Amino acid sequence: MTVTDRRTPVRGGVGTSAPRPDGVAKVAGRFAFSSDLFADGMVWGHVLRSPYPSARIRRIDVGPALAIAGVHAVVTASDVPGVNAYGLEHTDQPVFAEDVVRFTGEAVAAIAADHPETARRAAAAVVVEYEPLEPLVDAEAAITAAPIHPDGNVFAHLLISHGDPAATGDVVVEGTYEVGMQDQAFMGPESGLAIPADDGGVDLHMSTQWLHVDRDQVASALALPPGLVRMTLAGVGGAFGAREDVSLQVHICLLALHTGRPVKMVFSREESFLGHVHRHPCRMAYRHHATRDGRLVKVEARMVFDGGAYASTSGPVLTNACCFAAGPYAVPNAVVEGWAVRTNNPPCGAMRGFGAVQACFAHESQMDKLAAALGMDPVELRLRNAMQTGDRLITGQLISGTAPVAELIRTCSAAPLPPQDPAPDPMARPGGSGRSADPDRVRRGVGFAVSIKNLMYSAGFDDFSTARVRLADGAATVTCAAAEVGQGFVTLAQQIVREVLQVEDVVISAADTSSIASAGSTSASRQTWMSGGAVEGAARAVLRRREAGETGEIEETYEHHHKPTTPLGADGQGDAHVSYVFAAHRAVVDVDLDLGLVRVVEIATSQDVGRVMNPVQVTGQIEGGIAQGVGLAVMEEIVMDGGLVRNASFTDYLIPTALDMPEVTVAALIEQPEPGAPFGAKGVGEPPTISSSAAVAAAVRDATGLDLPRIPIRPQDIALAGS
Amino acid sequence: MKAFEYERPVGVTEAVALARRAGSRFLGGGTNLVDLMKLGVETPDLLVDLTGLDLAEVLEQPDGALRIGATVRNSDLSANDAVRARYPVLSQALVAGASGQLRNMATVGGNMLQRTRCPYFQDVTKACNKRVPGSGCPARAGEHRNLAILGASEACIATSPSDFAVALAALDAGVTALTTEGEVSLTVSDFFRLPGDEPQRDTNLPPGALVTALTVPRLDWATRSAYRKVRDRASYAFALVSVAAAVDLDGDRVRDVRLALGGVAHAPWRATRAEEALRGGPATEEAFSAALRGELEAAEPLPHNGFKVDLAHNVAVRTLTELTGVPA
């Protein structure tokens, strides 16, 4: 082994902009995504989906599909050997529909054929007799409507009662807010390859966020011991929460076992829109009480989240929305009631920001309304109520970690404003390349928003991550099942090992379920902390042995846990969270009042990061998160019509283009090391999305003087009369 | 996608002959047809690929008109020097459409024949009178935020998605087509049609006819022309409303004017009533506004697309104001 000179630190350690190990391959088009997988003898899978949001299935005849040349198998619910259901929290979603379908796009059958086109034609040839039923599409009505599933229509009902529920303030403001259904809109469609094995098991190569939980759901449905379902992470083209639930995993494994051949499936874009969960649309009624000098007295809220047909993570999403209903402020009294309900709309679940996004739009809209009622500067009002270490959440939980909310507000609001004049280039004005806005009709607006969100899973769902580090011949190898979905964990893992062991050559081996235990999900901004902690723990164990004089190959495995959490009690009080992360956003917009067009000119942000692990990656997360936040604010929405998705394509579901993307100014990255976090670093992936939407909405209100209680804000919402 | 045959004719006569076969469709850039085939909306038995034909030239005619071959790519036409200098509205309309990649593939002839983006038309599991005549129109009671406010019928409220065609309508352009019987010429205004009770017909083109060229007449004052488009994002989206306008000024009066609206009807909407009101009148914002209000009196908005009436008014008045140099 070479002896490293400890006086000259190794390159690419913690705090440097170490390059991504997969970066060059990705930009050069050489990276293999899950849709690029191939195996000899492979056949193609395709899923037949319900065209109805609610219907009884009277009869299924797969005969005509099986008769098509090149079709190897057609499977339905009766072919599922194990439990015909999956789900992250509750196993309430059928692998294949049996007697009823509950949303448009629900899987009814799956086909394996020699060509994807053959499989699609076979799907069209399957005879399914449906008896369409009146769909339940109104979330409020679902609370009391006849159940559309044996488990009932209420996924979760939560009451938080904090302090004195009867408390009142001198000044009271009310508002009702809505957030539309946003899609994660990743580029790489759902895809995977299942290969049957000689031992009766199956090897599944899949783009996902959490290998081990997928494996367990597949094994349960296939009635296989988990060890016979071996999952390997295939190249992931973005996730943002949409790959947390099972999509095609069970279907292709079942087809592989039926045909005895490798089965590959790649969703079309339309299927992708129908085949994964979305961000919950919701309605939130709020009442804020404050003293005349702008101290928050009480926050009341009632939130109804439409969870769609199956539970997915509706419960935890609602818990988050309720816990953070008052925002990053010290609020002595609160009464919050939340519902997450089942409807015949598409299932909703995890998406970047996970419940905090919706709540943030509402609480920040309320803070602006309160500032106006008080005649106070909205930034000053936020500063006056900013949460700090030692304060309590409305769940009664003590904020014991870092909470630099006031610093975030001060630094973000102090960033210099962009030049006042609308851009001379018409492309940079509202309407972009439509050349539709004249500079003299454009009005500038500025809006501010601050957010809070938890890191890690919560409310007693305590998980862990496992990592192994092997040091041999001066090079280290990391084994960890953490899903790299584009966020850059593979880079951080290398940086952490370099930092601890002072070796530059660090290899990240493939993530799979056979070589190591679970790393938990790539979600909840948790992998930097959880898998970062596991990698650090393993590396330090190796270091200790090396420092004790061991030579030759050293290998250590480490399981990292965070401090335990507990479920909320009946009054919504309890220590449900591990740690919190905060961000502030200031949006500057230009609005064309006549045409209802918005151009987001700039987003300035300050973020609570604990420690900057990799400056370039932090910036990447901030810019990407802001793109999704801007999208939700001014354009992104899955349009529903009676349970039918009306814009399941990237031509009709609009996400920001490069021309829509504002300048992003990072005013400050606040580095206050978080106790208990590896290197003091907090996850950075979600905060950029959470308050950027609310800030843009506030800026559009500032420019227009309109209420704008709903996002996305679209042209018809601004100054256009309509009829 | 249904299986189909593919032919690549070398001449227009052969192409037209091939088109007589049942279930044939002409293939240009494929940017619309292939999408519709994937959705099962179009199920051709035969694709007749036109891109090998000698129809990709832009030629100045002796009378000053511009003859544009049907397989000229949108990108090429938008960058054409004569188009940019003489008909800014045309170049701007082309650039406002789709994305760079799509414009590189799309042909101008195919652009004239692209189908509506109505969500019900594109969903084969749902009723649509345009796709399946007589099956019904769920859009009236459903999602119609971006559907027609002018000239719609009980049977259909779809809109024409083309930007290019709006500019062509304003310029009184013509369409030349070839059938086995010979050549057919139509004005763009006659080429497109309102849905009436036959929404399955987007155009008045005879069955099997091959669009061979578009002709833009000489119009010297079209140098004072512009295309503006309002949409939900800064690029790469269909119009909510668009306007193509050209103005011939005589001092501070309007000697002549061309005005067409996009995104509002089954066809590019030539605003003839507004044109008549403006011709010979003052070039003032008040006059523009009054003319547009008059034009839009015919609007019959539905519950969710009423905003397009004001939007059409506002963007058209803006465009005319810009073109005539009247201070806002």
Side-chain angles (χ1 to χ4, degrees):
Chain A
M1 186 193 297
T2 52
V3 177
T4 309
D5 181 357
R6 299 295 296 274
R7 287 167 302 181
T8 51
V10 72
R11 287 181 302 170
V14 166
T16 69
S17 285
R20 297 183 61 107
D22 55 0
V24 170
K26 279 181 172 170
V27 296
R30 292 197 304 268
F31 183 82
F33 289 96
S34 54
S35 49
D36 298 319
L37 295 164
F38 182 86
D40 285 335
M42 173 177 97
V43 293
W44 295 80
H46 183 75
V47 171
L48 173 66
R49 297 176 184 280
S50 165
Y52 298 103
S54 177
R56 259 185 215 102
I57 296 176
R58 286 219 175 114
R59 187 174 73 96
I60 301 178
D61 181 3
V62 303
L66 279 170
I68 293 174
V71 171
H72 289 254
V74 183
V75 292
T76 64
S78 60
D79 299 297
V80 177
V83 180
N84 182 31
Y86 57 82
L88 277 171
E89 300 270 325
H90 306 282
T91 50
D92 69 342
Q93 179 159 359
V95 174
F96 295 111
E98 294 178 31
D99 49 343
V100 294
V101 288
R102 297 188 181 85
F103 75 98
T104 307
E106 180 157 358
V108 175
I111 291 97
D114 57 2
H115 188 280
E117 190 52 41
T118 313
R120 281 191 285 271
R121 286 178 201 166
V126 173
V127 178
V128 186
E129 279 182 27
Y130 293 101
E131 178 192 344
L133 304 171
E134 188 60 35
L136 175 61
V137 295
D138 183 283
E140 189 71 45
I143 296 173
T144 51
I148 57 170
H149 187 282
D151 296 349
N153 290 350
V154 177
F155 295 130
H157 177 218
L158 194 62
L159 260 173
I160 292 177
S161 180
H162 181 64
D164 174 12
T168 56
D170 307 324
V171 179
V172 178
V173 292
E174 293 183 343
T176 299
Y177 305 94
E178 286 183 14
V179 176
M181 188 190 293
Q182 187 181 19
D183 190 71
Q184 296 84 351
F186 48 54
M187 285 200 289
E190 288 84 348
S191 41
L193 175 67
I195 304 170
D198 293 340
D199 60 4
V202 61
D203 291 283
L204 175 58
H205 301 259
M206 182 77 201
S207 47
T208 181
Q209 291 178 230
W210 188 357
L211 290 166
H212 286 77
V213 80
D214 280 8
R215 175 201 64 181
D216 292 350
Q217 292 177 84
V218 171
S220 163
L222 298 181
L224 287 174
L228 285 187
V229 178
R230 291 166 291 261
M231 279 194 70
T232 304
L233 187 70
V236 183
F240 313 111
R243 290 189 213 273
E244 204 166 43
D245 300 80
V246 160
S247 55
L248 52 78
Q249 287 89 326
V250 183
H251 299 149
I252 54 172
C253 287
L254 184 59
L255 288 170
L257 295 178
H258 261 253
T259 58
R261 284 168 174 264
V263 177
K264 174 175 175 173
M265 196 186 294
V266 182
F267 279 6
S268 69
R269 184 58 61 187
E270 184 187 15
E271 281 183 286
S272 179
F273 271 99
L274 298 175
H276 64 240
V277 300
H278 312 292
R279 190 191 296 291
H280 289 73
C282 68
R283 190 177 169 86
M284 301 166 287
Y286 265 72
R287 189 182 291 131
H288 273 56
H289 298 251
T291 61
R292 265 181 233 296
D293 63 348
R295 303 263 167 208
L296 288 173
V297 173
K298 186 171 72 169
V299 172
E300 298 172 82
R302 182 177 183 277
M303 314 175 129
V304 179
F305 277 53
D306 185 346
Y310 296 106
S312 180
T313 51
S314 277
V317 166
L318 181 74
T319 301
N320 261 15
C322 291
C323 286
F324 306 119
Y329 308 110
V331 181
N333 310 294
V335 181
V336 176
E337 181 178 26
W339 298 86
V341 298
R342 189 192 306 273
T343 65
N344 292 120
N345 287 319
C348 288
M351 181 174 173
R352 200 177 198 169
F354 202 79
V357 168
Q358 294 94 326
C360 182
F361 173 61
H363 64 64
E364 290 305 275
S365 299
Q366 281 288 99
M367 291 301 278
D368 285 343
K369 201 175 264 196
L370 183 59
L374 291 163
M376 186 181 284
D377 177 70
V379 172
E380 177 56 32
L381 176 67
R382 287 172 168 87
L383 267 178
R384 195 160 293 188
N385 293 282
M387 181 178 271
Q388 54 187 326
T389 306
D391 284 336
R392 286 182 188 275
L393 269 188
I394 60 171
T395 54
Q397 184 167 6
L398 185 74
I399 307 285
S400 56
T402 58
V405 180
E407 290 91 327
L408 294 170
I409 296 172
R410 282 199 195 96
T411 53
C412 185
S413 61
L417 284 162
Q420 182 60 36
D421 293 334
D425 176 6
M427 296 275 272
R429 296 203 290 262
S433 63
R435 305 177 54 262
S436 33
D438 299 307
D440 56 338
R441 304 297 181 102
V442 170
R443 203 174 293 173
R444 176 68 51 98
V446 181
F448 202 78
V450 197
S451 60
I452 175 173
K453 193 196 170 284
N454 59 317
L455 297 170
M456 268 73 79
Y457 283 2
S458 50
F461 195 105
D462 292 337
D463 60 352
F464 61 93
S465 177
T466 323
R468 182 176 307 128
V469 172
R470 183 164 54 90
L471 183 64
D473 301 327
T477 303
V478 179
T479 304
C480 180
E484 170 61 47
V485 301
Q487 83 277 30
F489 175 72
V490 287
T491 323
L492 288 195
Q494 288 183 322
Q495 290 179 263
I496 289 168
V497 174
R498 287 183 193 129
E499 187 73 24
V500 174
L501 293 178
Q502 291 294 308
V503 293
E504 191 169 320
D505 189 1
V506 181
V507 175
I508 309 294
S509 54
D512 64 37
T513 58
S514 307
S515 0
I516 195 153
S518 177
S521 178
T522 296
S523 59
S525 297
R526 65 178 284 289
Q527 289 296 23
T528 296
W529 186 315
M530 297 306 296
S531 292
V535 169
E536 186 197 6
R540 291 206 183 281
V542 169
L543 180 67
R544 279 192 294 275
R545 284 171 59 185
R546 191 176 70 184
E547 286 178 345
E550 255 189 77
T551 54
E553 182 180 319
I554 309 176
E555 181 178 286
E556 285 286 347
T557 302
Y558 186 84
E559 188 175 292
H560 186 63
H561 290 257
H562 59 69
K563 70 182 181 191
T565 64
T566 58
L568 294 173
D571 55 356
Q573 303 293 289
D575 293 345
H577 299 294
V578 179
S579 172
Y580 310 92
V581 65
F582 305 88
H585 289 90
R586 185 194 65 197
V588 175
V589 302
D590 282 342
V591 182
D592 182 319
L593 296 178
D594 293 349
L595 304 180
L597 297 168
V598 176
R599 159 84 190 165
V600 183
V601 176
E602 186 215 28
I603 303 269
T605 182
S606 290
Q607 189 164 324
D608 159 37
V609 298
R611 164 96 188 260
V612 176
M613 298 288 278
N614 183 316
V616 164
Q617 290 201 167
V618 170
T619 306
Q621 286 282 11
I622 287 174
E623 291 179 347
I626 284 173
Q628 282 184 312
V630 167
L632 176 60
V634 297
M635 66 183 80
E636 290 190 40
E637 181 171 12
I638 291 186
V639 176
M640 296 303 305
D641 165 26
L644 304 170
V645 175
R646 281 284 153 248
N647 55 345
S649 76
F650 277 156
T651 306
D652 299 302
Y653 179 88
L654 302 185
I655 59 174
T657 66
L659 201 51
D660 297 278
M661 186 65 191
E663 284 297 315
V664 171
T665 301
V666 178
L669 300 174
I670 306 292
E671 292 191 89
Q672 295 182 3
E674 174 74 343
F679 304 95
K682 292 182 173 182
V684 297
E686 292 177 284
T689 301
I690 300 171
S691 30
S692 51
S693 300
V696 170
V700 179
R701 286 189 193 113
D702 182 50
T704 62
L706 297 167
D707 271 348
L708 304 173
R710 186 180 198 282
I711 47 174
I713 297 165
R714 298 205 289 172
Q716 68 265 33
D717 302 321
I718 303 171
L720 297 166
S723 59
Chain B
M1 194 188 288
K2 204 184 84 174
F4 58 87
E5 289 180 66
Y6 173 84
E7 296 281 358
R8 196 172 164 82
V10 292
V12 288
T13 314
E14 186 192 354
V16 170
L18 283 166
R20 296 190 66 169
R21 277 159 57 179
S24 68
R25 287 282 188 283
F26 292 124
L27 178 70
T31 57
N32 185 228
L33 179 62
V34 175
D35 275 0
L36 293 173
M37 288 166 66
K38 289 179 185 170
L39 292 170
V41 174
E42 292 278 4
T43 53
D45 298 307
L46 168 66
L47 287 186
V48 181
D49 186 340
L50 305 175
T51 54
L53 301 182
D54 189 18
L55 294 175
E57 276 190 301
V58 182
L59 296 171
E60 296 225 31
Q61 303 299 101
D63 64 355
L66 214 54
R67 186 183 162 92
I68 304 161
T71 62
V72 171
R73 308 284 174 170
N74 281 18
S75 289
D76 291 335
L77 187 61
S78 70
N80 181 281
D81 288 339
V83 170
R84 288 167 58 114
R86 291 169 53 191
Y87 309 101
V89 63
L90 205 55
S91 178
Q92 290 168 13
L94 284 162
V95 171
S99 64
Q101 293 94 327
L102 287 168
R103 293 194 294 270
N104 288 344
M105 287 299 292
T107 62
V108 295
N111 189 304
M112 300 291 283
L113 294 166
Q114 67 181 308
R115 315 290 315 264
T116 182
R117 288 301 298 184
C118 175
Y120 300 91
F121 174 73
Q122 297 192 72
D123 182 349
V124 293
T125 68
K126 299 300 167 301
C128 170
N129 287 325
K130 184 179 276 299
R131 190 168 23 78
V132 183
S135 61
C137 174
R140 273 191 172 271
E143 168 60 25
H144 57 244
R145 170 181 177 265
N146 200 15
L147 297 181
I149 54 170
L150 286 162
S153 68
E154 274 305 309
C156 184
I157 56 172
T159 49
S160 161
S162 173
D163 292 297
F164 177 56
V166 182
L168 289 176
L171 294 170
D172 270 342
V175 182
T176 306
L178 191 68
T179 71
T180 48
E181 265 87 78
E183 201 164 84
V184 186
S185 287
L186 293 164
T187 64
V188 166
S189 296
D190 290 336
F191 177 84
F192 290 104
R193 59 185 297 281
L194 294 177
D197 53 10
E198 283 187 291
Q200 67 273 24
R201 294 175 54 211
D202 290 353
T203 71
N204 289 315
L205 203 60
L210 169 67
V211 174
T212 52
L214 305 167
T215 305
V216 188
R218 175 175 173 172
L219 187 70
D220 292 341
W221 49 273
T223 49
R224 191 191 288 270
S225 68
Y227 188 78
R228 288 198 186 195
K229 179 174 178 179
V230 181
R231 53 186 156 186
D232 285 317
R233 69 178 168 191
S235 181
Y236 190 21
F238 288 96
L240 295 169
V241 167
S242 67
V243 59
V247 187
D248 184 17
L249 272 185
D250 177 11
D252 57 1
R253 302 191 78 78
V254 174
R255 185 184 296 132
D256 203 353
V257 62
R258 301 287 182 79
L259 191 64
L261 300 173
V264 294
H266 193 262
W269 188 265
R270 182 70 182 267
T272 49
R273 188 173 161 181
E275 289 180 3
E276 278 164 33
L278 289 169
R279 219 166 271 133
T284 63
E285 193 169 334
E286 294 70 32
F288 301 149
S289 177
L292 263 299
R293 289 287 172 221
E295 182 72 43
L296 292 162
E297 267 175 24
E300 292 180 301
L302 294 161
H304 305 304
N305 67 2
F307 72 99
K308 292 173 86 171
V309 178
D310 281 352
L311 207 51
H313 167 272
N314 292 354
V315 72
V317 171
R318 288 273 200 89
T319 309
L320 291 168
T321 306
E322 178 204 28
L323 284 176
T324 53
V326 176

